[in-house]
Structure formats: structure tokens, C-alpha cells
């Protein structure tokens, strides 16, 4: 068995002459940002994301003040920010989970790719988001 570094997946591709190419590619990690109205909502969503292996780690940052326009009216709210570490492959399922468990009508779920980072940490994110 070929040793594969944590956080990498094997990909197989059949070429036109029927030979098989095998390659190892790093799992792409991402940070997903979600605002929530309270610590309690953030905790509940975080626990569900972790239980379902949709995220490796969620930081909940309190004390945000958000200013925005909603339905033609200027708004100001106190919120918490969830900084969710996951993989790009999990984004769709993660987004659906958040939207279905969040009290807002229009939920902020935005993602930024992690271009670089401490490789053992990125490997841990990939491993944590893998179902056995």
C-alpha cells in the first residue's frame, strides 16, 4: 500500500490509451464565516457541524456590531462571528446545515480559501472533516 500523507486524496484517471494515472492532491481547506444573533445559536450550530464532520474547528468571536440595510431600513445589531475551518468539498453541505439550523431569513455563509498555513494543522482539518 502506498503511504499517503494525511490531508491528501488519491485521484485516478484513465487516459485515451487505457493506462491509469494516479496522483495525490492536497485537500483544499477553507474558512467559512457565519454571523449569529447569540452565543447559544452559534454553540448549537457549531455542535451540529462538528458532529456531522462538516467542520474541524469553530471559533466564536463575540461582541460584533453589524450595520446593514434590510428591507429599506438601516439596522444595527450585536452579533457573534463564527469562523469555521473546513474543506472546500464540505462547503455545500456545511452551508445547507447552517441555513436549515439558523434563525435568520438571509443567513451569511461566506467562504475564503486557505492558500497557505501550518501543514500539520491543515492536515488535521482535512482528517477531522473525513467520515470514517
Amino acid at each position: 500500500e502506498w503511504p499517503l500523507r494525511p490531508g491528501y486524496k488519491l485521484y485516478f484517471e484513465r487516459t485515451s490509451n487505457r493506462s491509469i494515472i494516479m496522483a495525490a492532491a492536497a485537500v483544499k481547506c477553507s474558512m467559512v464565516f457565519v454571523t449569529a444573533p447569540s452565543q447559544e445559536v452559534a454553540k448549537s450550530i457549531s455542535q451540529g457541524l462538528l458532529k456531522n464532520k462538516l467542520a474541524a474547528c469553530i471559533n466564536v468571536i463575540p461582541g460584533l456590531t453589524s450595520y446593514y440595510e434590510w428591507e429599506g431600513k438601516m439596522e444595527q445589531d450585536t452579533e457573534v462571528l463564527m469562523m469555521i475551518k473546513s474543506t472546500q468539498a464540505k462547503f455545500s453541505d456545511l452551508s445547507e446545515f447552517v441555513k436549515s439550523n439558523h434563525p435568520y431569513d438571509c443567513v451569511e455563509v461566506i467562504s475564503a480559501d486557505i492558500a497557505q498555513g501550518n501543514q500539520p494543522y491543515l492536515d488535521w482539518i482535512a482528517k477531522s472533516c473525513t467520515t470514517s
Side-chain angles (χ1 to χ4, degrees):
E1 182 172 302
W2 187 53
L4 192 61
R5 205 174 149 192
Y8 281 69
K9 287 187 176 180
L10 282 179
Y11 294 91
F12 298 93
E13 182 178 328
R14 187 173 298 277
T15 64
S16 59
N17 67 358
R18 298 182 192 251
S19 61
I20 296 176
I21 297 171
M22 180 176 69
V27 173
K28 305 282 188 198
C29 296
S30 64
M31 291 180 295
V32 180
F33 299 96
V34 175
T35 52
S38 68
Q39 290 275 1
E40 293 77 20
V41 169
K43 181 179 179 181
S44 175
I45 292 171
S46 296
Q47 289 172 337
L49 291 172
L50 293 169
K51 179 181 177 187
N52 289 291
K53 298 224 176 261
L54 297 173
C57 175
I58 299 104
N59 304 110
V60 179
I61 305 164
L64 294 180
T65 302
S66 296
Y67 301 92
Y68 56 96
E69 185 178 334
W70 183 251
E71 297 178 345
K73 192 171 128 189
M74 296 304 291
E75 300 284 348
Q76 175 182 334
D77 283 315
T78 300
E79 297 180 297
V80 298
L81 177 66
M82 301 169 64
M83 188 171 79
I84 304 164
K85 274 72 79 182
S86 187
T87 62
Q88 291 176 8
K90 294 286 183 167
F91 179 76
S92 181
D93 290 341
L94 184 154
S95 181
E96 286 305 314
F97 181 89
V98 170
K99 290 187 289 185
S100 65
N101 289 280
H102 201 290
Y104 290 171
D105 292 333
C106 183
V107 183
E108 175 186 355
V109 184
I110 57 175
S111 177
D113 296 343
I114 299 174
Q116 296 181 56
N118 176 26
Q119 194 59 54
Y121 183 75
L122 299 177
D123 292 346
W124 172 78
I125 291 172
K127 183 179 176 186
S128 297
C129 293
T130 303
T131 50
S132 308

